[in-house]
Amino acid sequence: MAEESQTPVSAIPEAQKDRYKNISQTFQENFGEGPEFFSRAPGRVNLIGEHIDYCGYSVLPMAVEQDIVMAVLPDSSGSISLVSADPQYESFTCDVTKIVITKDEPHWYKYVLCGILGIKEQFQSETIKGFKAVIHGTVPRSAGLSSSSALVCCSALAMLRANKWNMTKEHLAEVCAKCERYIGTEGGGMDQAISLTAKSGKAKLIEFNPLRTTDVQLPADAAFIVSNSLAEMNKAATPQFNTRVVECRLAAQVLAASQTNIKWRDVKRLGDLQEKLGFSLDAMLTLVTANLHKEPYSKEEICTLLEVTPDELAETSLSTNTTHVETFCLYKRATHVYSEAKRVLQFKTICDEQPEDALQLLGKLMDESHASCRDMYDCSHPDLDSLVEVCRNSGAVGSRMTGAGWGGCAVSIVKSDSVASLLSRVQDNYYKLNSEKFARVQESLFATIPGGGAAYYIY
């Protein structure tokens, strides 16, 4: 295995030593001994390519500096003992051989269990160690910066090293994407891939099936501002996210049924359909306009088009938490996916070619992406739309929602020399208008650079 495909092991960075010392102290207070190592996985901000990874299309995120860190001590008794450094989250203990993840309440420790179980199932070992861990995070929760996936990746890394098992970053990313579904989120794999494979100073084009990552050099004068609307939505606790996944699947299947040479049951994703047809993205958009009506489809209409019963539809196309949904927006969802996939490719081309007006061109694509997320995918939020507008009026060259949406964060691209001005104006024109939001401004509004990926740290 190539060395660069392995998660790096290094000494704790000088700038982080105080933080890691505090985490170690919390570990000592809870377990009466110190940790053996630390696993670390960053959050991410998706620059462009929203809600298309699970449709089979490339995305373009970068890791942020905020992360999840776990102080870990292997436990030969097979016990898993989890303590959050944040006292508002309860501790948890279980037997590593008896892990059960229910989908009723998305408690924080269930994401840790997802990572543990995913690794355990890969190795199927008769001798298996658990571990003791203290978890500390700086990724804002429910903000669209992928705190939950960072937690899954961090725990999977801890499980690997506790048991002295090896896995490439790419394989680990695929395992983590699958095992996060144990908690009920049908994501596409972007969050785990960027958290595990990111390089400092670079964004990544991430392609799927198989997973491939390509470094993307952003313009030298580009800076990025992340701003949290502070409207929160836990995607594992509501059906909105999984409904969109199902709507995209149904759009692909109804479009496939309109084509004489395609068996719709062989199609699960909009990307699959494009591949089978051999069409360009522009041609796929034309196909959507010609074959899908703009009004929502009833479940009954879809059953008629696909010639199936409601029970058969549930089996072939729906997820367990969307069987109650009675109407599906197919035209709007497919239009967003194909147009967003096109914007991702345009974004990378601009970064590769670096024309003089690169920043303006990238900003325009980000603006178009937000409009599509808001109007065609219905995954924005009034507070988020307001924040995006404030960012643009405060000097951002482009601004868009990032992450699952329905609240959470905006990401803005701005000239490097305008960062301080933009931060000040957004604080005045968004956060200061609401005392609760202003109280959280320090954690909610920050400039960031493309951060490094997952790592192990040892003393």
Side-chain angles (χ1 to χ4, degrees):
M1 290 181 285
E3 190 171 326
E4 63 269 18
S5 72
Q6 298 297 298
T7 303
V9 182
S10 61
I12 297 166
E14 193 65 37
Q16 290 284 317
K17 281 192 172 175
D18 286 347
R19 178 190 177 199
Y20 280 74
K21 183 179 178 182
N22 290 336
I23 298 170
S24 293
Q25 188 174 333
T26 303
F27 193 101
Q28 183 80 34
E29 290 166 359
N30 279 274
F31 298 116
E33 52 191 329
E36 184 179 290
F37 66 89
F38 300 87
S39 59
R40 179 241 180 215
R44 63 96 188 97
V45 59
N46 192 23
L47 298 180
I48 199 158
E50 218 61 74
H51 285 286
I52 62 173
D53 55 342
Y54 53 77
C55 296
Y57 286 105
S58 306
V59 292
L60 212 153
M62 69 182 199
V64 293
E65 296 159 286
Q66 287 79 359
D67 59 18
I68 303 288
V69 169
M70 294 179 69
V72 184
L73 181 66
D75 188 336
S76 297
S77 74
S79 177
I80 297 289
S81 305
L82 307 174
V83 174
S84 173
D86 187 334
Q88 73 171 300
Y89 297 113
E90 72 272 36
S91 300
F92 180 81
T93 304
C94 73
D95 187 322
V96 73
T97 64
K98 299 173 183 175
I99 292 174
V100 177
I101 303 170
T102 57
K103 298 179 182 178
D104 50 354
E105 290 285 335
H107 296 293
W108 74 273
Y109 57 80
K110 292 183 181 178
Y111 292 99
V112 180
L113 295 180
C114 283
I116 295 168
L117 188 57
I119 296 302
K120 180 184 154 190
E121 291 181 344
Q122 284 293 303
F123 287 90
Q124 297 287 320
S125 175
E126 291 184 13
T127 57
I128 185 167
K129 288 185 179 180
F131 58 79
K132 299 170 183 175
V134 167
I135 297 94
H136 182 264
T138 57
V139 187
R141 58 185 171 79
S142 301
L145 297 181
S146 200
S147 58
S148 57
S149 295
L151 193 51
V152 172
C153 292
C154 200
S155 69
L157 287 164
M159 188 64 179
L160 278 174
R161 190 168 179 87
N163 284 279
K164 295 183 167 59
W165 295 330
N166 284 313
M167 190 178 285
T168 66
K169 295 178 192 175
E170 292 75 16
H171 186 192
L172 182 57
E174 291 177 333
V175 169
C176 288
K178 288 175 184 171
C179 70
E180 189 168 334
R181 294 171 193 164
Y182 296 148
I183 204 168
T185 304
E186 293 198 34
M190 166 184 64
D191 301 344
Q192 300 82 6
I194 188 64
S195 185
L196 291 161
T197 70
K199 287 184 184 175
S200 292
K202 309 271 189 183
K204 287 265 190 185
L205 179 76
I206 299 178
E207 303 168 84
F208 303 95
N209 306 302
L211 180 68
R212 300 180 301 281
T213 68
T214 306
D215 289 339
V216 175
Q217 184 62 58
L218 298 161
D221 59 344
F224 295 91
I225 303 295
V226 175
S227 49
N228 190 347
S229 69
L230 297 172
E232 294 184 3
M233 193 283 289
N234 188 314
K235 66 184 180 185
T238 66
Q240 289 274 27
F241 182 88
N242 288 337
T243 299
R244 295 300 181 277
V245 177
V246 165
E247 286 175 322
C248 290
R249 185 179 303 142
L250 290 172
Q253 292 174 337
V254 169
L255 282 171
S258 74
Q259 305 300 296
T260 55
N261 57 336
I262 304 282
K263 293 179 181 177
W264 70 263
R265 289 176 187 269
D266 294 340
V267 174
K268 296 293 184 187
R269 302 175 306 172
L270 289 161
D272 297 340
L273 181 61
Q274 184 192 4
E275 190 176 324
K276 285 179 182 294
L277 291 172
F279 286 4
S280 67
L281 286 165
D282 284 330
M284 293 307 295
L285 286 163
T286 301
L287 188 73
V288 170
T289 302
N291 290 279
L292 296 179
H293 57 68
K294 295 183 179 180
E295 301 75 27
Y297 285 71
S298 68
K299 186 181 290 186
E300 183 181 9
E301 183 181 3
I302 292 172
C303 287
T304 300
L305 289 168
L306 299 182
E307 298 179 340
V308 294
T309 66
D311 286 345
E312 288 173 319
L313 186 72
E315 191 175 323
T316 61
S317 310
L318 306 183
S319 57
T320 52
N321 59 357
T322 57
T323 53
H324 68 286
V325 180
E326 292 298 325
T327 60
F328 302 91
C329 295
L330 306 190
Y331 170 85
K332 289 168 67 175
R333 309 307 183 234
T335 298
H336 167 76
V337 169
Y338 289 132
S339 63
E340 186 78 347
K342 184 178 173 184
R343 282 186 285 272
V344 169
L345 299 180
Q346 291 171 324
F347 196 101
K348 181 178 184 296
T349 298
I350 293 164
C351 289
D352 290 345
E353 296 177 354
Q354 297 276 341
E356 281 188 20
D357 57 348
L359 222 58
Q360 285 67 34
L361 294 171
L362 297 178
K364 182 172 182 290
L365 289 172
M366 291 172 71
D367 289 345
E368 290 171 358
S369 174
H370 182 77
S372 185
C373 287
R374 180 191 64 216
D375 302 334
M376 305 307 285
Y377 220 72
D378 296 308
C379 63
S380 190
H381 183 283
D383 288 3
L384 193 47
D385 294 336
S386 173
L387 177 57
V388 164
E389 198 60 33
V390 167
C391 289
R392 288 175 188 154
N393 292 337
S394 299
V397 181
S399 187
R400 61 178 292 274
M401 60 153 276
T402 184
W406 297 285
C409 285
V411 59
S412 303
I413 189 170
V414 61
K415 285 191 64 130
S416 301
D417 58 8
S418 301
V419 167
S421 169
L422 190 145
L423 289 171
S424 175
R425 292 175 67 184
V426 173
Q427 178 170 304
D428 289 345
N429 294 307
Y430 183 79
Y431 294 96
K432 278 189 177 176
L433 303 184
N434 179 296
S435 58
E436 288 183 22
K437 287 184 167 121
F438 188 55
R440 294 177 60 185
V441 69
Q442 293 304 316
E443 68 183 81
S444 303
L445 177 66
F446 53 88
T448 189
I449 57 173
Y456 292 114
Y457 292 130
I458 54 176
Y459 287 109

